[in-house]
Amino acid sequence: MILYDFEHERPGSLQDVAARLAELGPTAGILAGGTDLLPNMRLKIRTPATLVSLGAIAAQPPGTDTDGWLRIDALTRLSEIENSDTVRAACPMFARSAHVVGSNQIRQAGTLGGNLCQEIRCLYLNQEHDFQFVAPCYKRGGDCCYPYPKNEKDFCASVFMSDIAPALIALGSDIELVGANASRRMAVEDFYTGVGMTPTVLRADELVGAVMVPPPPPNSGWGYHKSTIRGGLEFAMVVVAARVALGEDGETCADARIVIGAVSEGPSRARGAESALVGAAPTPEAIAAAASAAVAECRFLPHHNFSVEYLKQNAEVYLRRILSEAFGRAKTGPGKGGQDQ
Amino acid sequence: MIEAVKSRSRKRLITLTVNGEEHEIAIRPNAMLVDVVRDQIGLTGTKSGCSSGSCGACTLLIDGRPMLACSTLAVECDGKAIRTVEDLADGERLSPIQEAFLDQGAVQCGFCTPGMLMSVTALIASNPKPSHQEIKKALEGNLCRCTGYNAIFNAVLQATGQDGIKPIMF
Protein backbone atom coordinates (compact mmCIF):
# COMPACT_ATOMS: atom_id res chain seq x y z
CA MET A 1 0.00 0.00 0.00
CA ILE A 2 1.34 3.41 -0.95
CA LEU A 3 1.67 6.04 1.74
CA TYR A 4 0.08 9.44 1.25
CA ASP A 5 2.30 12.20 -0.08
CA PHE A 6 4.45 14.12 2.39
CA GLU A 7 7.62 16.19 2.53
CA HIS A 8 10.89 14.91 3.97
CA GLU A 9 13.75 16.83 5.55
CA ARG A 10 17.02 15.65 7.03
CA PRO A 11 18.72 18.23 9.29
CA GLY A 12 22.24 17.57 10.49
CA SER A 13 21.93 18.07 14.26
CA LEU A 14 19.41 17.63 17.08
CA GLN A 15 19.21 21.41 17.58
CA ASP A 16 18.42 21.93 13.87
CA VAL A 17 15.71 19.26 14.13
CA ALA A 18 14.22 20.98 17.19
CA ALA A 19 14.34 24.35 15.37
CA ARG A 20 12.53 22.87 12.35
CA LEU A 21 9.95 21.27 14.65
CA ALA A 22 9.34 24.68 16.25
CA GLU A 23 8.79 26.25 12.81
CA LEU A 24 6.56 23.50 11.46
CA GLY A 25 4.47 23.02 14.61
CA PRO A 26 2.09 20.08 14.87
CA THR A 27 2.19 19.34 11.12
CA ALA A 28 5.65 17.80 11.56
CA GLY A 29 6.51 14.23 12.46
CA ILE A 30 9.84 12.97 13.78
CA LEU A 31 11.21 9.99 11.85
CA ALA A 32 13.86 7.86 13.55
CA GLY A 33 13.53 4.08 13.02
CA GLY A 34 10.07 4.42 11.55
CA THR A 35 8.82 1.10 12.92
CA ASP A 36 6.00 2.79 14.85
CA LEU A 37 5.43 5.98 12.84
CA LEU A 38 5.26 4.54 9.30
CA PRO A 39 2.66 1.80 10.02
CA ASN A 40 0.64 4.42 11.93
CA MET A 41 0.85 6.77 8.94
CA ARG A 42 -0.47 3.97 6.75
CA LEU A 43 -3.43 3.61 9.10
CA LYS A 44 -3.75 7.43 9.18
CA ILE A 45 -3.51 7.54 12.96
CA ARG A 46 -0.90 10.22 12.36
CA THR A 47 -0.77 12.29 9.19
CA PRO A 48 2.22 14.66 9.41
CA ALA A 49 2.69 16.85 6.33
CA THR A 50 6.47 16.90 6.82
CA LEU A 51 8.72 14.22 8.22
CA VAL A 52 11.83 15.55 9.91
CA SER A 53 14.31 12.71 9.72
CA LEU A 54 16.97 11.98 12.32
CA GLY A 55 18.77 9.73 9.82
CA ALA A 56 21.69 12.15 9.36
CA ILE A 57 22.51 12.24 13.08
CA ALA A 58 24.81 9.58 14.50
CA ALA A 59 24.02 8.11 17.92
CA GLN A 60 26.62 8.55 20.65
CA PRO A 61 27.80 5.19 22.03
CA PRO A 62 26.61 4.31 25.57
CA GLY A 63 28.85 5.96 28.14
CA THR A 64 29.10 7.04 31.75
CA ASP A 65 28.42 10.64 32.84
CA THR A 66 30.64 12.42 35.38
CA ASP A 67 28.04 11.70 38.09
CA GLY A 68 28.33 7.97 37.42
CA TRP A 69 25.00 7.65 35.57
CA LEU A 70 24.89 5.56 32.40
CA ARG A 71 23.91 7.74 29.41
CA ILE A 72 22.23 6.14 26.40
CA ASP A 73 21.59 8.29 23.34
CA ALA A 74 17.93 8.23 22.30
CA LEU A 75 18.98 7.39 18.74
CA THR A 76 20.63 4.13 19.86
CA ARG A 77 19.06 1.18 18.07
CA LEU A 78 17.40 -1.37 20.35
CA SER A 79 19.65 -4.11 18.92
CA GLU A 80 22.66 -2.12 20.06
CA ILE A 81 21.23 -1.75 23.58
CA GLU A 82 20.53 -5.48 23.95
CA ASN A 83 24.02 -6.37 22.67
CA SER A 84 25.99 -3.57 24.36
CA ASP A 85 28.44 -4.91 26.93
CA THR A 86 28.29 -1.57 28.78
CA VAL A 87 24.51 -1.74 29.17
CA ARG A 88 24.48 -5.45 29.98
CA ALA A 89 27.06 -4.96 32.71
CA ALA A 90 25.61 -1.79 34.23
CA CYS A 91 21.86 -2.51 33.99
CA PRO A 92 20.95 -5.98 32.72
CA MET A 93 17.22 -5.25 33.14
CA PHE A 94 17.48 -2.44 30.55
CA ALA A 95 19.24 -4.77 28.06
CA ARG A 96 16.64 -7.45 28.79
CA SER A 97 13.71 -5.11 28.16
CA ALA A 98 15.24 -4.06 24.81
CA HIS A 99 15.77 -7.72 23.95
CA VAL A 100 12.06 -8.60 24.18
CA VAL A 101 10.79 -5.81 21.90
CA GLY A 102 9.24 -6.84 18.57
CA SER A 103 11.46 -8.89 16.30
CA ASN A 104 15.11 -8.75 15.32
CA GLN A 105 14.27 -6.63 12.27
CA ILE A 106 12.26 -4.21 14.43
CA ARG A 107 15.08 -3.90 16.97
CA GLN A 108 17.64 -3.28 14.21
CA ALA A 109 15.59 -0.28 13.03
CA GLY A 110 13.78 0.97 16.14
CA THR A 111 15.44 3.47 18.45
CA LEU A 112 15.25 3.95 22.21
CA GLY A 113 13.62 7.38 21.86
CA GLY A 114 11.07 5.99 19.44
CA ASN A 115 10.18 3.16 21.78
CA LEU A 116 9.63 5.56 24.68
CA CYS A 117 7.51 7.92 22.53
CA GLN A 118 5.53 5.25 20.70
CA GLU A 119 1.87 5.79 19.95
CA ILE A 120 -0.64 4.20 22.31
CA ARG A 121 -2.53 1.18 21.03
CA CYS A 122 -6.14 0.05 20.93
CA LEU A 123 -7.82 -2.74 18.98
CA TYR A 124 -9.95 -0.17 17.13
CA LEU A 125 -7.48 2.69 16.80
CA ASN A 126 -4.90 0.46 15.08
CA GLN A 127 -7.14 -0.32 12.15
CA GLU A 128 -7.92 1.44 8.91
CA HIS A 129 -10.91 3.75 9.55
CA ASP A 130 -12.56 3.35 6.18
CA PHE A 131 -14.42 0.06 6.20
CA GLN A 132 -15.74 -1.21 9.52
CA PHE A 133 -14.97 1.91 11.52
CA VAL A 134 -15.89 4.83 9.35
CA ALA A 135 -16.14 7.59 11.96
CA PRO A 136 -12.87 8.79 13.46
CA CYS A 137 -12.50 8.14 17.18
CA TYR A 138 -11.47 10.76 19.77
CA LYS A 139 -7.79 9.97 19.27
CA ARG A 140 -8.13 10.57 15.54
CA GLY A 141 -9.85 13.89 16.16
CA GLY A 142 -13.38 12.54 15.80
CA ASP A 143 -16.29 12.22 18.18
CA CYS A 144 -16.70 8.62 19.31
CA CYS A 145 -14.95 5.80 21.13
CA TYR A 146 -15.33 2.25 19.80
CA PRO A 147 -14.28 0.22 22.87
CA TYR A 148 -16.32 2.46 25.20
CA PRO A 149 -19.41 3.62 23.29
CA LYS A 150 -20.71 5.46 26.37
CA ASN A 151 -17.49 7.45 26.66
CA GLU A 152 -18.62 11.04 26.17
CA LYS A 153 -15.77 12.80 27.91
CA ASP A 154 -13.32 12.86 24.98
CA PHE A 155 -10.85 10.59 26.69
CA CYS A 156 -8.93 7.84 24.93
CA ALA A 157 -8.94 4.55 26.82
CA SER A 158 -6.01 2.92 25.08
CA VAL A 159 -2.86 1.22 26.23
CA PHE A 160 0.76 2.39 26.17
CA MET A 161 2.81 -0.66 25.29
CA SER A 162 6.47 0.26 25.56
CA ASP A 163 8.42 -2.69 26.98
CA ILE A 164 11.37 -0.51 27.95
CA ALA A 165 9.63 2.28 29.88
CA PRO A 166 8.63 0.08 32.89
CA ALA A 167 12.21 -1.18 33.20
CA LEU A 168 13.61 2.36 33.07
CA ILE A 169 11.15 3.55 35.71
CA ALA A 170 12.02 0.62 37.97
CA LEU A 171 15.69 1.57 37.57
CA GLY A 172 14.92 5.18 38.56
CA SER A 173 16.11 6.61 35.23
CA ASP A 174 15.95 10.16 33.94
CA ILE A 175 15.11 11.35 30.44
CA GLU A 176 16.52 14.39 28.65
CA LEU A 177 14.26 16.35 26.29
CA VAL A 178 15.96 18.59 23.73
CA GLY A 179 14.15 21.72 22.55
CA ALA A 180 15.13 24.46 20.12
CA ASN A 181 16.23 26.80 22.91
CA ALA A 182 16.56 24.73 26.06
CA SER A 183 16.69 21.14 27.15
CA ARG A 184 15.10 19.75 30.29
CA ARG A 185 15.64 16.64 32.37
CA MET A 186 13.04 14.71 34.33
CA ALA A 187 12.38 11.28 35.80
CA VAL A 188 11.04 8.82 33.21
CA GLU A 189 7.92 8.27 35.33
CA ASP A 190 7.10 12.00 35.09
CA PHE A 191 7.51 11.81 31.32
CA TYR A 192 4.28 9.80 31.07
CA THR A 193 1.01 11.54 31.78
CA GLY A 194 -1.32 8.54 31.96
CA VAL A 195 -3.69 10.36 29.56
CA GLY A 196 -4.52 8.57 26.31
CA MET A 197 -4.87 11.70 24.17
CA THR A 198 -1.40 12.97 25.14
CA PRO A 199 0.55 10.04 26.62
CA THR A 200 3.80 11.98 27.16
CA VAL A 201 4.70 15.52 28.22
CA LEU A 202 6.76 15.95 25.04
CA ARG A 203 5.94 19.26 23.35
CA ALA A 204 5.63 19.57 19.57
CA ASP A 205 9.03 21.27 19.33
CA GLU A 206 10.91 18.82 21.54
CA LEU A 207 12.48 15.44 21.08
CA VAL A 208 14.09 12.92 23.38
CA GLY A 209 17.85 13.37 23.54
CA ALA A 210 19.06 10.70 25.93
CA VAL A 211 18.17 8.43 28.84
CA MET A 212 20.28 8.38 32.00
CA VAL A 213 20.28 5.36 34.32
CA PRO A 214 21.66 5.76 37.86
CA PRO A 215 24.15 3.28 39.32
CA PRO A 216 22.29 0.57 41.29
CA PRO A 217 22.14 0.78 45.09
CA PRO A 218 24.24 -1.81 46.98
CA ASN A 219 22.74 -5.31 47.38
CA SER A 220 20.15 -4.71 44.67
CA GLY A 221 18.46 -7.12 42.29
CA TRP A 222 16.02 -6.90 39.44
CA GLY A 223 13.16 -8.83 37.89
CA TYR A 224 11.41 -8.23 34.59
CA HIS A 225 8.74 -10.06 32.63
CA LYS A 226 6.78 -9.38 29.46
CA SER A 227 3.68 -11.52 29.08
CA THR A 228 2.66 -12.40 25.55
CA ILE A 229 0.64 -15.10 23.81
CA ARG A 230 3.24 -16.27 21.28
CA GLY A 231 6.49 -15.14 22.90
CA GLY A 232 7.84 -13.27 19.90
CA LEU A 233 7.03 -10.40 17.54
CA GLU A 234 4.20 -9.27 19.71
CA PHE A 235 3.02 -6.37 21.80
CA ALA A 236 2.81 -7.07 25.51
CA MET A 237 -0.36 -7.93 27.38
CA VAL A 238 1.35 -7.17 30.69
CA VAL A 239 4.84 -5.92 31.51
CA VAL A 240 6.07 -6.09 35.10
CA ALA A 241 9.41 -4.74 36.29
CA ALA A 242 10.91 -4.51 39.76
CA ARG A 243 14.17 -3.39 41.33
CA VAL A 244 14.75 -4.13 45.00
CA ALA A 245 17.63 -3.58 47.42
CA LEU A 246 18.43 -5.31 50.68
CA GLY A 247 19.70 -3.49 53.76
CA GLU A 248 23.17 -3.94 55.23
CA ASP A 249 22.02 -6.98 57.21
CA GLY A 250 21.11 -8.69 53.91
CA GLU A 251 17.76 -9.78 55.38
CA THR A 252 15.34 -6.84 55.19
CA CYS A 253 14.21 -4.94 52.12
CA ALA A 254 15.69 -1.41 52.05
CA ASP A 255 14.27 -0.19 48.75
CA ALA A 256 11.72 -1.43 46.21
CA ARG A 257 10.42 -0.08 42.92
CA ILE A 258 7.56 -1.97 41.27
CA VAL A 259 6.16 -0.96 37.88
CA ILE A 260 3.30 -2.40 35.86
CA GLY A 261 3.12 -1.48 32.18
CA ALA A 262 1.07 -2.19 29.04
CA VAL A 263 -2.24 -2.32 30.91
CA SER A 264 -3.29 1.35 30.91
CA GLU A 265 -2.49 4.69 29.30
CA GLY A 266 0.96 4.79 30.88
CA PRO A 267 3.28 2.69 33.03
CA SER A 268 2.30 2.96 36.68
CA ARG A 269 4.30 2.56 39.87
CA ALA A 270 2.77 0.59 42.74
CA ARG A 271 3.88 2.92 45.52
CA GLY A 272 1.68 1.34 48.21
CA ALA A 273 3.10 -2.12 47.59
CA GLU A 274 6.62 -0.69 47.51
CA SER A 275 6.32 1.01 50.89
CA ALA A 276 4.76 -2.12 52.41
CA LEU A 277 7.80 -4.14 51.32
CA VAL A 278 10.41 -1.68 52.62
CA GLY A 279 11.58 -2.63 56.12
CA ALA A 280 10.08 -6.13 55.95
CA ALA A 281 11.85 -9.42 55.37
CA PRO A 282 11.20 -10.64 51.79
CA THR A 283 9.38 -13.82 52.80
CA PRO A 284 7.13 -15.57 50.25
CA GLU A 285 4.12 -14.25 52.17
CA ALA A 286 5.37 -10.64 52.07
CA ILE A 287 6.10 -10.96 48.33
CA ALA A 288 2.66 -12.42 47.63
CA ALA A 289 1.03 -9.63 49.63
CA ALA A 290 3.04 -7.00 47.74
CA ALA A 291 2.08 -8.51 44.38
CA SER A 292 -1.61 -8.49 45.15
CA ALA A 293 -1.41 -4.98 46.64
CA ALA A 294 0.37 -3.72 43.50
CA VAL A 295 -2.30 -5.19 41.25
CA ALA A 296 -5.06 -3.71 43.42
CA GLU A 297 -3.67 -0.17 43.33
CA CYS A 298 -2.78 0.06 39.60
CA ARG A 299 -5.25 0.93 36.87
CA PHE A 300 -6.07 -1.88 34.45
CA LEU A 301 -7.93 -1.48 31.17
CA PRO A 302 -9.27 -4.46 29.22
CA HIS A 303 -7.32 -4.48 25.97
CA HIS A 304 -6.94 -6.63 22.87
CA ASN A 305 -9.61 -9.09 24.06
CA PHE A 306 -8.02 -9.68 27.46
CA SER A 307 -10.38 -9.12 30.38
CA VAL A 308 -9.31 -7.05 33.39
CA GLU A 309 -9.56 -10.14 35.62
CA TYR A 310 -7.23 -12.10 33.37
CA LEU A 311 -4.71 -9.27 33.12
CA LYS A 312 -4.74 -8.74 36.89
CA GLN A 313 -4.19 -12.40 37.58
CA ASN A 314 -1.37 -12.53 35.05
CA ALA A 315 0.29 -9.44 36.54
CA GLU A 316 -0.03 -10.78 40.08
CA VAL A 317 1.53 -14.15 39.27
CA TYR A 318 4.45 -12.64 37.37
CA LEU A 319 4.98 -9.90 39.96
CA ARG A 320 5.33 -12.61 42.58
CA ARG A 321 7.86 -14.46 40.43
CA ILE A 322 9.95 -11.43 39.45
CA LEU A 323 10.01 -10.15 43.04
CA SER A 324 11.40 -13.48 44.26
CA GLU A 325 13.90 -13.38 41.37
CA ALA A 326 14.88 -9.83 42.28
CA PHE A 327 15.44 -10.69 45.95
CA GLY A 328 17.37 -13.79 44.88
CA ARG A 329 19.66 -11.65 42.72
CA ALA A 330 20.02 -9.11 45.52
CA LYS A 331 21.26 -11.90 47.81
CA THR A 332 23.65 -13.53 45.34
CA GLY A 333 25.10 -10.31 43.88
CA PRO A 334 24.36 -8.08 40.91
CA GLY A 335 24.09 -9.26 37.35
CA LYS A 336 23.37 -12.88 38.25
CA GLY A 337 21.24 -14.51 35.60
CA GLY A 338 21.14 -11.24 33.74
CA GLN A 339 21.54 -12.60 30.27
CA ASP A 340 19.15 -15.52 30.27
CA GLN A 341 16.99 -15.31 27.20
CA MET B 1 -12.79 24.74 -15.25
CA ILE B 2 -10.12 22.27 -14.39
CA GLU B 3 -9.18 22.40 -10.76
CA ALA B 4 -5.57 23.10 -10.05
CA VAL B 5 -3.62 19.89 -9.53
CA LYS B 6 -2.70 19.53 -5.88
CA SER B 7 1.00 20.20 -5.55
CA ARG B 8 3.03 17.11 -4.86
CA SER B 9 6.33 16.67 -3.11
CA ARG B 10 9.20 16.93 -5.57
CA LYS B 11 11.12 13.87 -6.63
CA ARG B 12 14.66 13.55 -5.42
CA LEU B 13 17.61 11.57 -6.65
CA ILE B 14 19.02 8.88 -4.36
CA THR B 15 21.87 6.45 -4.84
CA LEU B 16 21.37 2.85 -3.74
CA THR B 17 24.02 0.18 -4.01
CA VAL B 18 21.95 -2.95 -4.51
CA ASN B 19 23.87 -6.24 -4.59
CA GLY B 20 27.06 -4.37 -5.45
CA GLU B 21 25.52 -2.42 -8.33
CA GLU B 22 24.96 1.31 -8.03
CA HIS B 23 21.52 2.66 -8.96
CA GLU B 24 20.47 6.31 -9.21
CA ILE B 25 16.75 6.53 -8.72
CA ALA B 26 14.32 9.44 -8.69
CA ILE B 27 11.71 8.91 -5.98
CA ARG B 28 9.18 10.80 -3.88
CA PRO B 29 9.61 10.67 -0.07
CA ASN B 30 6.62 8.35 0.34
CA ALA B 31 8.25 5.55 -1.70
CA MET B 32 8.95 2.50 0.42
CA LEU B 33 12.19 0.62 -0.08
CA VAL B 34 10.37 -2.60 -0.93
CA ASP B 35 8.50 -0.90 -3.79
CA VAL B 36 11.67 0.72 -5.13
CA VAL B 37 13.60 -2.56 -5.03
CA ARG B 38 10.80 -4.54 -6.66
CA ASP B 39 9.29 -2.09 -9.13
CA GLN B 40 12.07 0.34 -10.04
CA ILE B 41 15.16 -1.86 -9.73
CA GLY B 42 13.23 -4.95 -10.78
CA LEU B 43 14.46 -7.38 -8.11
CA THR B 44 11.22 -9.13 -7.24
CA GLY B 45 12.82 -11.73 -4.97
CA THR B 46 12.04 -9.53 -1.97
CA LYS B 47 8.36 -10.07 -1.16
CA SER B 48 5.85 -7.59 0.14
CA GLY B 49 3.66 -9.33 2.71
CA CYS B 50 1.83 -7.45 5.42
CA SER B 51 3.22 -3.96 4.65
CA SER B 52 3.15 -3.18 8.36
CA GLY B 53 6.27 -4.76 9.81
CA SER B 54 4.57 -7.89 11.13
CA CYS B 55 5.58 -10.72 8.80
CA GLY B 56 9.22 -10.26 7.76
CA ALA B 57 8.72 -11.35 4.12
CA CYS B 58 10.39 -8.13 2.93
CA THR B 59 13.54 -8.59 5.05
CA LEU B 60 16.73 -7.50 3.28
CA LEU B 61 20.13 -6.39 4.48
CA ILE B 62 20.79 -2.64 4.75
CA ASP B 63 24.49 -2.13 5.51
CA GLY B 64 24.52 -5.72 6.77
CA ARG B 65 21.57 -5.37 9.17
CA PRO B 66 18.38 -7.35 8.56
CA MET B 67 15.68 -4.70 8.14
CA LEU B 68 12.11 -4.52 6.91
CA ALA B 69 11.89 -2.96 3.47
CA CYS B 70 8.15 -2.30 3.94
CA SER B 71 8.77 -0.06 6.97
CA THR B 72 11.78 1.78 5.58
CA LEU B 73 11.52 4.88 3.41
CA ALA B 74 13.71 4.58 0.32
CA VAL B 75 14.82 8.19 0.79
CA GLU B 76 16.30 7.24 4.17
CA CYS B 77 18.52 4.63 2.44
CA ASP B 78 20.36 7.17 0.25
CA GLY B 79 23.98 6.06 -0.07
CA LYS B 80 23.47 2.74 1.70
CA ALA B 81 24.39 -0.76 0.56
CA ILE B 82 21.46 -3.14 0.17
CA ARG B 83 21.67 -6.88 -0.25
CA THR B 84 18.69 -8.88 -1.44
CA VAL B 85 18.02 -12.59 -1.83
CA GLU B 86 19.16 -12.47 -5.49
CA ASP B 87 22.73 -11.91 -4.28
CA LEU B 88 22.97 -15.10 -2.19
CA ALA B 89 23.58 -17.58 -5.01
CA ASP B 90 26.78 -17.37 -7.03
CA GLY B 91 25.40 -17.86 -10.54
CA GLU B 92 23.97 -21.38 -10.61
CA ARG B 93 25.62 -22.35 -7.33
CA LEU B 94 23.39 -21.85 -4.31
CA SER B 95 24.70 -20.56 -1.02
CA PRO B 96 25.08 -23.13 1.81
CA ILE B 97 21.99 -21.66 3.48
CA GLN B 98 19.89 -22.05 0.34
CA GLU B 99 21.18 -25.62 -0.13
CA ALA B 100 20.22 -26.44 3.46
CA PHE B 101 16.72 -25.01 2.93
CA LEU B 102 16.29 -27.28 -0.11
CA ASP B 103 17.71 -30.35 1.66
CA GLN B 104 15.47 -29.97 4.67
CA GLY B 105 12.31 -29.14 2.71
CA ALA B 106 12.14 -25.76 4.41
CA VAL B 107 10.31 -24.25 1.45
CA GLN B 108 6.66 -24.88 0.79
CA CYS B 109 4.80 -21.97 -0.77
CA GLY B 110 8.04 -20.00 -0.70
CA PHE B 111 6.64 -16.56 0.08
CA CYS B 112 8.45 -16.21 3.41
CA THR B 113 11.64 -17.83 2.12
CA PRO B 114 13.51 -14.72 0.84
CA GLY B 115 12.98 -13.02 4.19
CA MET B 116 13.98 -16.17 6.09
CA LEU B 117 17.14 -16.52 4.02
CA MET B 118 18.16 -12.92 4.65
CA SER B 119 17.53 -13.21 8.40
CA VAL B 120 19.59 -16.41 8.54
CA THR B 121 22.34 -14.82 6.43
CA ALA B 122 22.59 -11.93 8.89
CA LEU B 123 22.55 -14.33 11.85
CA ILE B 124 25.34 -16.52 10.51
CA ALA B 125 27.44 -13.51 9.50
CA SER B 126 27.57 -12.34 13.11
CA ASN B 127 27.29 -15.72 14.84
CA PRO B 128 28.56 -18.76 12.88
CA LYS B 129 27.42 -21.28 15.53
CA PRO B 130 24.16 -19.96 16.93
CA SER B 131 22.47 -21.84 19.78
CA HIS B 132 18.91 -23.16 19.34
CA GLN B 133 17.61 -20.22 21.32
CA GLU B 134 19.57 -17.73 19.21
CA ILE B 135 18.21 -19.25 16.00
CA LYS B 136 14.65 -18.95 17.28
CA LYS B 137 15.25 -15.40 18.41
CA ALA B 138 16.79 -14.41 15.05
CA LEU B 139 13.82 -15.86 13.15
CA GLU B 140 11.04 -14.57 15.42
CA GLY B 141 10.31 -11.74 12.98
CA ASN B 142 9.72 -14.03 10.01
CA LEU B 143 6.31 -15.65 9.88
CA CYS B 144 5.77 -18.86 7.93
CA ARG B 145 2.29 -20.35 7.61
CA CYS B 146 3.30 -23.57 5.80
CA THR B 147 6.25 -25.34 7.36
CA GLY B 148 5.58 -25.05 11.06
CA TYR B 149 9.15 -23.73 11.37
CA ASN B 150 10.76 -27.06 12.27
CA ALA B 151 12.10 -27.65 8.76
CA ILE B 152 13.48 -24.10 8.68
CA PHE B 153 15.05 -24.60 12.09
CA ASN B 154 16.64 -27.85 10.84
CA ALA B 155 17.94 -26.04 7.76
CA VAL B 156 19.71 -23.46 9.91
CA LEU B 157 21.26 -26.25 11.99
CA GLN B 158 22.46 -27.96 8.80
CA ALA B 159 23.81 -24.73 7.31
CA THR B 160 25.81 -24.05 10.47
CA GLY B 161 27.04 -27.66 10.67
CA GLN B 162 25.34 -28.43 13.98
CA ASP B 163 23.69 -31.54 15.42
CA GLY B 164 20.18 -31.76 16.70
CA ILE B 165 18.28 -32.07 13.42
CA LYS B 166 15.02 -33.82 14.27
CA PRO B 167 13.29 -35.70 11.43
CA ILE B 168 9.90 -34.26 10.60
CA MET B 169 7.04 -36.78 10.57
CA PHE B 170 4.36 -36.42 7.91
Side-chain angles (χ1 to χ4, degrees), chain A residues 3-8 10 31 38-39 42 53 55 79-80 99 102-108 232-233 341, chain B residues 8-10 12 29-30 32 51-54 59 65-66 68 70-71 73 75-76 119 133 137 140-142:
Chain A
L3 270 180
Y4 68 88
D5 200 34
F6 53 83
E7 270 303 333
H8 175 272
R10 216 171 150 155
L31 176 69
L38 294 175
R42 278 216 175 84
S53 163
S79 59
E80 278 152 24
H99 181 74
S103 65
N104 188 26
Q105 291 97 318
I106 303 274
R107 294 192 296 274
Q108 296 282 352
L233 186 49
Q341 306 294 310
Chain B
R8 295 197 64 185
S9 57
R10 75 187 160 77
R12 51 208 79 193
N30 63 351
M32 285 295 169
S51 296
S52 64
S54 310
T59 304
R65 297 158 163 272
L68 298 169
C70 75
S71 305
L73 292 180
V75 65
E76 286 285 299
S119 279
Q133 197 58 46
K137 195 70 189 166
E140 73 179 335
N142 293 82

Side-chain angles (χ1 to χ4, degrees), chain A residues 63-119:
Chain A
T64 312
D65 278 350
T66 45
D67 53 2
W69 290 45
L70 182 75
R71 171 181 279 262
I72 318 278
D73 194 308
L75 280 171
T76 314
R77 313 268 162 188
L78 300 184
S79 59
E80 278 152 24
I81 296 176
E82 61 171 329
N83 293 320
S84 155
D85 292 333
T86 319
V87 179
R88 284 159 77 136
C91 27
M93 170 151 67
F94 186 11
R96 180 65 213 248
S97 68
H99 181 74
V100 297
V101 175
S103 65
N104 188 26
Q105 291 97 318
I106 303 274
R107 294 192 296 274
Q108 296 282 352
T111 61
L112 172 60
N115 186 283
L116 296 179
C117 299
Q118 65 181 258
E119 194 56 89

Side-chain angles (χ1 to χ4, degrees), chain B residues 54-66:
Chain B
S54 310
C55 77
C58 62
T59 304
L60 40 67
L61 304 187
I62 304 177
D63 287 344
R65 297 158 163 272

Side-chain angles (χ1 to χ4, degrees), chain A residues 185-251:
Chain A
R185 179 173 171 161
M186 63 177 73
V188 176
E189 55 184 300
D190 299 331
F191 180 63
Y192 295 107
T193 57
V195 178
M197 299 296 277
T198 50
T200 67
V201 300
L202 200 70
R203 290 193 292 256
D205 62 342
E206 278 181 329
L207 62 163
V208 179
V211 167
M212 281 75 66
V213 188
N219 300 330
S220 63
W222 59 277
Y224 176 90
H225 188 265
K226 171 185 178 179
S227 290
T228 54
I229 295 282
R230 296 196 299 263
L233 186 49
E234 205 176 354
F235 282 96
M237 61 171 140
V238 171
V239 174
V240 286
R243 210 261 326 262
V244 300
L246 292 171
E248 281 175 10
D249 56 358
E251 294 300 327

Side-chain angles (χ1 to χ4, degrees), chain B residues 66-129:
Chain B
M67 306 258 259
L68 298 169
C70 75
S71 305
T72 307
L73 292 180
V75 65
E76 286 285 299
C77 297
D78 189 10
K80 294 196 172 162
I82 290 160
R83 194 165 176 223
T84 69
V85 70
E86 282 89 349
D87 194 41
L88 293 184
D90 180 11
E92 290 290 297
R93 210 179 68 231
L94 297 179
S95 79
I97 301 166
Q98 288 171 309
E99 284 289 356
F101 267 63
L102 278 183
D103 280 0
Q104 296 292 338
V107 180
Q108 284 187 25
C109 87
F111 203 82
C112 74
T113 312
M116 289 279 181
L117 289 170
M118 297 322 284
S119 279
V120 177
T121 304
L123 169 70
I124 295 180
S126 64
N127 186 356
K129 290 269 183 247

